[in-house]
Amino acid sequence: MKHPTATIAVFTFGMISFISVLASGNENTTPSLLLGGAFLISLLTHSIIVYRKQLDPVSYLTTMYFVYAFTLPGIYQLRTDTFYWYNNSVRRDLLIDAAFITFTGTLALMAGISTTKLGRLFGTSFGSTGASTARPMPAKRYDRKRASIASFVISAICLAFIILQLAQKGPLVFFGTREMANLLLSGKDGDSGSAFVKTICSAMALTSFTITGIVRYWAGIKNSLTKVSIIASVTSLSIACFPTSLPRFWMIALAMTVGLVLIPNVLRRKKGIFFASGPIALFSLFPFLSSLRRGENLDASFEIKNPFDYLLHGDFDGYQSMINVVVLVQNEGFAFGGRIISTVLFFVPRSIWSGKYDRTGAEAADSAGYLYLNISMPLPGEIYADGGIIITAIVLFAIGRLIGTLDSIYSSPGMTLGSIPLSSISILIAGFVPILARGSLISVIGGPAVAISLVAAWSFLYRLKIRRT
């Protein structure tokens, strides 16, 4: 079932937001119009995603970020000439450059996504019943025993590692507030790796749950090993992804993963309601989650904030980071692939690789003269710093195509040999896509990398043949 009512609501809300923000001031007309073009292209793609039968979770969250967390706040900051970080240090002479890079990158990304959707806008995925196919699906094409053993091994390894870290780092790291967990982790003799270990635990728990959930509920494998795997993965999730200690983007990943694994049909039937309520959740739930886990104790007080004031918050610093990356390139030149290589090889310590790049957002902020460097860097800025505007357009178009492909994998009917690992990856990337889009990539790639590695390990174990002597 398509969702015309929800689509009209989403598009109307977006246009009202756009007109309101555009009319909020009269500064910086040219860059505002460029960002406005990026906003409208993103909103149109976002509306197409909402209209379609298929769930398209990766595309939805990607376009959601570009519409409401990147371009819309950028327009408001331009029209009011107010920026969150070191307002007086912002290079006003580079506003048009940053807006043009944002427009070009956004256009390429949305074109990549749209080309995977428009051809099937009135049809179904893979020329069949597509996303309307009910779960669970038969597992007759699988070796049930090997799939169960592989899932059991992965879930057992994840649970063992998480319990070991719980014993070593203490329960407050996992069950306290996020601020308390950060203080405890950073206080262990300056061990910066402790925070990454917590990230590894969260990624392992999400991946274990995703794989075992698909094996049990999608493929319908209900033997004893699978039941034990489910118990182990839920236990891992309860420890490593306890909500009070998670960053907000990890809470999105947790909610998306659990929902996409356990209730795909509910999400599909109620897609219009869930997707239309996205902006409301962003501007109300995000500030609440931020205050909930600050300090040593939970603060569950809820305060309705002015959305315009929130658009000037550090959560929406994407456009300001785009200005900074122009400064970075002017000062240091393009990295010519060095940043993406550093991201892929994020696990290599700088003591071994002295030329490894730091977070792009931090380097750009430092180049712009900021003292606080924990600043984001959206995808267009990441790629621009590596190779310029043409490379940005080409790479983001390819990423858009990949995003559409991941959606098709999730919505495709039937279980084939590659369905469990590929569906797992599509679900996990859907959860991680907001933080990947916001960046900086090298600081957030660890979780997705661990998740994909575990999925690859499951595939290896499934295909592993043990010789009997």
Side-chain angles (χ1 to χ4, degrees):
M1 181 181 68
K2 299 181 180 70
H3 305 275
T5 303
T7 304
I8 293 172
V10 165
F11 188 78
T12 302
F13 180 82
M15 289 304 299
I16 292 173
S17 301
F18 173 64
I19 293 170
S20 300
V21 165
L22 205 60
S24 61
N26 54 11
E27 303 290 334
N28 306 308
T29 301
T30 300
S32 297
L33 292 176
L34 283 169
L35 273 196
F39 173 88
L40 293 174
I41 293 167
S42 301
L43 178 62
L44 180 60
T45 308
H46 187 65
S47 301
I48 291 171
I49 301 303
V50 174
Y51 177 76
R52 279 166 45 88
K53 290 180 181 180
Q54 288 81 3
L55 199 55
D56 296 334
V58 189
S59 295
Y60 172 75
L61 285 169
T62 302
T63 55
M64 176 81 174
Y65 169 79
F66 273 79
V67 172
Y68 293 108
F70 185 20
T71 57
L72 186 70
I75 297 168
Y76 185 68
Q77 292 157 20
L78 281 168
R79 297 303 282 169
T80 60
D81 198 39
T82 306
F83 298 90
Y84 184 77
W85 304 111
Y86 305 98
N87 184 61
N88 292 333
S89 299
V90 174
R91 289 279 300 274
R92 263 66 177 185
D93 58 313
L94 299 178
L95 296 180
I96 294 178
D97 302 71
F100 181 72
I101 296 166
T102 302
F103 173 80
T104 304
T106 303
L107 175 63
L109 180 68
M110 297 305 153
I113 293 174
S114 298
T115 54
T116 67
K117 311 297 181 187
L118 290 175
R120 295 188 295 244
L121 185 59
F122 301 102
T124 56
S125 183
F126 294 110
S128 62
T129 55
S132 61
T133 300
R135 315 277 191 189
M137 292 170 287
K140 62 183 180 180
R141 298 179 187 177
Y142 275 97
D143 184 318
R144 301 168 71 89
K145 184 176 180 180
R146 287 165 64 185
S148 300
I149 292 173
S151 302
F152 173 77
V153 172
I154 293 297
S155 62
I157 291 174
C158 292
L159 179 59
F161 182 82
I162 290 168
I163 290 177
L164 175 64
Q165 297 306 315
L166 175 64
Q168 290 181 346
K169 295 185 170 28
L172 288 178
V173 169
F174 291 89
F175 301 115
T177 65
R178 187 195 171 195
E179 185 166 320
M180 183 184 297
N182 288 342
L183 288 172
L184 290 170
L185 290 171
S186 61
K188 291 185 178 296
D189 301 322
D191 181 13
S192 60
S194 294
F196 182 60
V197 170
K198 177 67 163 57
T199 296
I200 292 175
C201 290
S202 299
M204 293 178 81
L206 282 177
T207 309
S208 172
F209 177 81
T210 300
I211 293 173
T212 56
I214 289 177
V215 169
R216 169 62 180 83
Y217 298 108
W218 290 27
I221 301 175
K222 304 178 182 180
N223 56 35
S224 299
L225 272 181
T226 303
K227 293 177 182 177
V228 174
S229 301
I230 287 290
I231 294 172
S233 65
V234 170
T235 304
S236 297
L237 205 66
S238 301
I239 298 171
C241 294
F242 196 75
T244 60
S245 65
L246 283 181
R248 288 169 298 171
F249 284 102
W250 274 94
M251 293 189 72
I252 293 175
L254 173 62
M256 290 298 299
T257 299
V258 172
L260 291 171
V261 170
L262 295 184
I263 55 170
N265 289 326
V266 173
L267 292 176
R268 193 172 295 117
R269 288 195 301 268
K270 304 296 182 181
K271 173 184 174 180
I273 296 174
F274 283 114
F275 280 16
S277 62
I280 299 173
L282 174 65
F283 289 109
S284 60
L285 193 58
F286 241 48
F288 170 70
L289 292 176
S290 179
S291 62
L292 174 67
R293 296 158 301 123
R294 297 289 182 187
E296 296 183 359
N297 301 306
L298 294 177
D299 179 10
S301 59
F302 183 80
E303 178 184 355
I304 298 177
K305 296 186 177 182
N306 184 332
F308 288 100
D309 292 340
Y310 190 41
L311 290 176
L312 297 175
H313 192 272
D315 287 343
F316 305 120
D317 59 2
Y319 177 66
Q320 187 171 1
S321 294
M322 295 298 297
I323 303 170
N324 295 341
V325 83
V326 179
V327 179
L328 175 67
V329 169
Q330 285 185 346
N331 292 344
E332 300 183 13
F334 297 116
F336 297 109
R339 296 186 185 280
I340 191 63
I341 294 173
S342 297
T343 298
V344 173
L345 301 178
F346 71 95
F347 52 87
V348 177
R350 286 186 173 82
S351 58
I352 297 176
W353 181 12
S354 60
K356 180 180 176 182
Y357 283 92
D358 198 356
R359 295 160 296 161
T360 307
E363 289 193 4
D366 183 56
S367 188
Y370 295 3
L371 298 177
Y372 183 79
L373 303 181
N374 187 20
I375 297 178
S376 70
M377 182 55 67
L379 272 178
E382 289 273 6
I383 302 168
Y384 177 77
D386 246 350
I389 193 70
I390 296 176
I391 296 298
T392 300
I394 294 172
V395 173
L396 282 173
F397 180 81
I399 290 175
R401 295 283 300 176
L402 176 61
I403 288 171
T405 300
L406 290 171
D407 284 330
S408 297
I409 290 170
Y410 179 79
S411 298
S412 62
M415 296 295 286
T416 60
L417 184 61
S419 292
I420 289 179
L422 290 176
S423 295
S424 297
I425 289 174
S426 69
I427 289 171
L428 291 163
I429 295 300
F432 287 126
V433 76
I435 190 59
L436 289 173
R438 186 172 188 261
S440 296
L441 278 180
I442 198 170
S443 64
V444 301
I445 198 64
V450 170
I452 292 173
S453 298
L454 281 173
V455 173
W458 184 93
S459 298
F460 173 77
L461 291 170
Y462 177 81
R463 289 168 172 80
L464 187 64
K465 294 183 179 179
I466 301 176
R467 295 183 179 179
R468 295 183 179 181
T469 58

